[in-house]
Amino acid sequence: LASLEGIPHWARSNGIASFDRQHVLMHAQRIGLGEDVIEEQEVACITLSALLEMGHETPDLLKVDTEGYDYEVLSMLDLEQHRPAIIHFEHLHILPDHYESMIVRLHDAGYLSLAYKINTTANVKRD
């Protein structure tokens, strides 16, 4: 870590942000930093539905990578109202039972899914 001296903490940790403090701490500890480098900031948030309503139509691709909060974000998605052709998300930090329920939900909504390494891609089945 001597080579990191003089480099601001935010630059050493690759700028991880999450609603889950433990998730940020895990990343910090992995590169030898402690809890003292974590900065909490209040941020304005909106629901996924509100964000999607801002557009004129549902996007073809929804990509979710929210550092440990992907399940919660995807759970907000109303698949009857907004039906992206492709949904890509990081499943690495999703609990196994939550991941399974998400895959079942997507399948029931007409999606096929493929998990590869830390990500899953689901696309609408074509007839």
Side-chain angles (χ1 to χ4, degrees), residues 68-72 74 89-102 118 120:
Y69 211 70
D70 299 59
Y71 175 77
E72 289 78 4
L74 288 169
F89 61 97
E90 183 181 44
H91 64 251
L92 177 65
H93 306 294
I94 298 177
L95 295 172
D97 58 327
H98 286 172
Y99 179 73
E100 184 178 337
S101 70
M102 183 57 60
I118 65 171
T120 295

Side-chain angles (χ1 to χ4, degrees), residues 8 36 56 74 77 88 124:
D36 60 314
H56 296 289
L74 288 169
L77 180 60
H88 182 83
V124 175

Side-chain angles (χ1 to χ4, degrees):
L1 287 179
S3 64
L4 298 178
E5 287 181 29
I7 298 174
H9 290 300
W10 62 265
R12 292 190 225 172
S13 66
N14 78 2
I16 293 293
S18 177
F19 287 110
D20 183 351
R21 182 181 182 85
Q22 287 305 116
H23 185 79
V24 176
L25 180 59
M26 175 193 65
H27 280 278
Q29 289 174 334
R30 193 171 0 171
I31 61 170
L33 300 173
E35 194 166 356
D36 60 314
V37 302
I38 297 174
E39 293 181 25
E40 289 187 19
Q41 295 182 357
E42 191 169 313
V43 295
C45 298
I46 60 173
T47 64
L48 180 59
S49 293
L51 176 65
L52 292 171
E53 290 299 322
M54 291 176 168
H56 296 289
E57 57 188 54
T58 298
D60 292 329
L61 170 66
L62 175 64
K63 182 178 186 295
V64 180
D65 185 352
T66 53
E67 293 305 321
Y69 211 70
D70 299 59
Y71 175 77
E72 289 78 4
V73 170
L74 288 169
S75 294
M76 294 181 214
L77 180 60
D78 181 346
L79 290 169
E80 291 182 20
Q81 185 173 1
H82 299 287
R83 211 172 150 68
I86 301 169
I87 301 171
H88 182 83
F89 61 97
E90 183 181 44
H91 64 251
L92 177 65
H93 306 294
I94 298 177
L95 295 172
D97 58 327
H98 286 172
Y99 179 73
E100 184 178 337
S101 70
M102 183 57 60
I103 295 302
V104 168
R105 181 173 173 248
L106 290 169
H107 181 266
D108 289 349
Y111 286 82
L112 297 172
S113 62
L114 174 66
Y116 182 70
K117 295 188 180 182
I118 65 171
N119 296 299
T120 295
T121 302
N123 62 292
V124 175
K125 291 184 218 176
R126 295 187 184 198
D127 296 328

